[in-house]
Amino acid sequence: MGKYISRAGKYVLKMVVLLAIVFALMALTGMLNRSLNDVFNSLFNSLPGLILIGALIVFALLYPKMSFMKGGVRGDMTANREDIVNAFASANYVLASENGGRMVFRARTFGGKLLAQWDDAVVVTQEGRFIEMEGLKKVVSRVELRLNAYINKE
């Protein structure tokens, strides 16, 4: 639950910063016909502004559920270690740590980490006959498809 709240909070922060940047750019380019203070006042004191804030909170609460997943591929972590590393490398992820049957991959680039709000870790474990991955949905689904292809070509 702590991860869920943290991810939702990061999303709210990201959207607030984005909204502030948009308002600031609009003010700098003369697209606003009133001051930034008036804009932020009307944001918190009008129905459309409150709806925007409510929508932001709803999306923030849904974001962790929609953007993170667990996926699995039939295989063995030890026997398919090289395939796992190669599949993550193709998604611009590198092995950050490995211990006790647990591998953690992180984004290779600063931009990848920034876009994932530093929540870029994908954890790989062995669950029975499956290699299980947990992390960002777009990364896990890409790696899952590629890893499945690597393992099944043998």
Side-chain angles (χ1 to χ4, degrees):
M1 189 65 163
K3 256 190 202 180
Y4 194 93
I5 292 170
S6 168
R7 288 173 177 164
K10 285 179 186 180
Y11 187 77
V12 166
L13 184 62
K14 184 170 129 178
M15 290 297 108
V16 166
V17 167
L18 182 64
L19 195 60
I21 289 171
V22 167
F23 284 151
L25 287 174
M26 287 174 67
L28 289 173
T29 58
M31 293 176 69
L32 287 178
N33 57 358
R34 47 193 183 162
S35 72
L36 273 179
N37 192 31
D38 289 342
V39 170
F40 284 109
N41 253 353
S42 65
L43 183 66
F44 293 105
N45 296 323
S46 69
L47 183 60
L50 293 175
I51 290 172
L52 179 65
I53 292 169
L56 178 77
I57 291 170
V58 168
F59 282 128
L61 292 173
L62 293 174
Y63 170 75
K65 198 72 165 162
M66 294 184 309
S67 299
F68 292 87
M69 71 175 275
K70 264 186 186 179
V73 173
R74 184 178 221 125
D76 182 69
M77 260 180 70
T78 316
N80 301 112
R81 184 186 183 285
E82 188 176 325
D83 292 332
I84 295 169
V85 172
N86 289 338
F88 274 99
S90 70
N92 265 340
Y93 270 63
V94 293
L95 182 61
S97 68
E98 180 177 13
N99 57 12
R102 183 176 186 260
M103 300 168 86
V104 178
F105 290 86
R106 297 197 77 94
R108 178 177 295 165
T109 63
F110 176 78
K113 292 177 189 301
L114 181 64
L115 286 173
Q117 303 161 28
W118 278 265
D119 205 357
D120 60 328
V122 178
V123 178
V124 180
T125 56
Q126 184 74 46
E127 297 293 328
R129 294 186 301 189
F130 288 91
I131 299 168
E132 195 168 273
M133 298 170 277
E134 183 178 1
L136 279 170
K137 186 178 280 189
K138 70 178 184 177
V139 176
V140 170
S141 59
R142 284 181 194 160
V143 171
E144 188 176 26
L145 286 172
R146 185 144 301 143
L147 183 57
N148 203 21
Y150 287 168
I151 290 173
N152 290 326
K153 77 172 179 172
E154 295 173 351

